[in-house]
Amino acid sequence: MNETMHTDIMKNEFGWEVPVESVPLPSKGAIYSPDSFLYNTETLQIKAMTAKEEDILTSQAFIKENVVVEKLIQSCLIEKSIDVDDLINGDRNALMVSIRITGYGSDYIAKHTCGNCGHHNK
């Protein structure tokens, strides 16, 4: 079953659509080749993470191949013709942060204990 058919079933049968977000690209597409789809592209659309993307994040095969990030971005991009390897790091990072927010929210809770004094920092 292709992605479009799956989306139609989710929408038509269950009344649920995966949310789509526009992500501003830090490069605004200025540095890409004029032959590239990314040339002068200021934003890219991503779909929110679903269980499929959770499976990508935990795939031992993708982890061993060191392709988890590429597979996750590719899965969430609406424009499937984009080669994730063509993205510059800043644009890739912007997409990853936005994808993370769609899956887990904008809060990022972290705790750290100082190695010198043992103070717990949030």
Side-chain angles (χ1 to χ4, degrees):
M1 180 182 325
N2 69 31
E3 184 90 17
T4 303
M5 288 177 67
H6 178 71
T7 301
D8 291 344
I9 290 170
M10 294 298 291
K11 181 179 179 182
N12 297 335
E13 298 295 320
F14 300 106
W16 186 74
E17 270 187 276
V18 177
V20 173
E21 304 279 335
S22 283
V23 179
L25 299 179
S27 74
K28 299 184 181 185
I31 66 148
Y32 296 102
S33 165
D35 300 335
S36 169
F37 173 86
L38 296 165
Y39 180 69
N40 284 339
T41 299
E42 294 192 15
T43 63
L44 288 176
Q45 289 189 318
I46 59 166
K47 71 176 190 73
M49 282 182 55
T50 63
K52 175 185 174 185
E53 286 74 34
E54 289 280 346
D55 289 345
I56 290 170
L57 287 173
T58 60
S59 166
Q60 290 303 307
F62 291 156
I63 292 168
K64 285 179 184 176
E65 293 175 35
N66 199 30
V67 295
V68 173
V69 171
E70 290 83 359
K71 296 290 186 181
L72 180 65
I73 293 172
Q74 189 66 56
S75 182
C76 290
L77 277 171
I78 298 298
E79 179 56 55
K80 297 299 182 191
S81 68
I82 295 172
D83 183 347
V84 176
D85 291 332
D86 291 342
L87 292 166
I88 65 165
N89 286 338
D91 291 348
R92 182 189 304 241
N93 289 345
L95 290 167
M96 277 304 303
V97 168
S98 295
I99 290 167
R100 186 208 178 276
I101 290 170
T102 71
Y104 303 108
S106 58
D107 291 340
Y108 191 86
I109 299 170
K111 297 177 184 176
H112 178 264
T113 302
C114 177
N116 291 326
C117 68
H119 184 265
H120 299 287
N121 299 293
K122 292 183 180 180

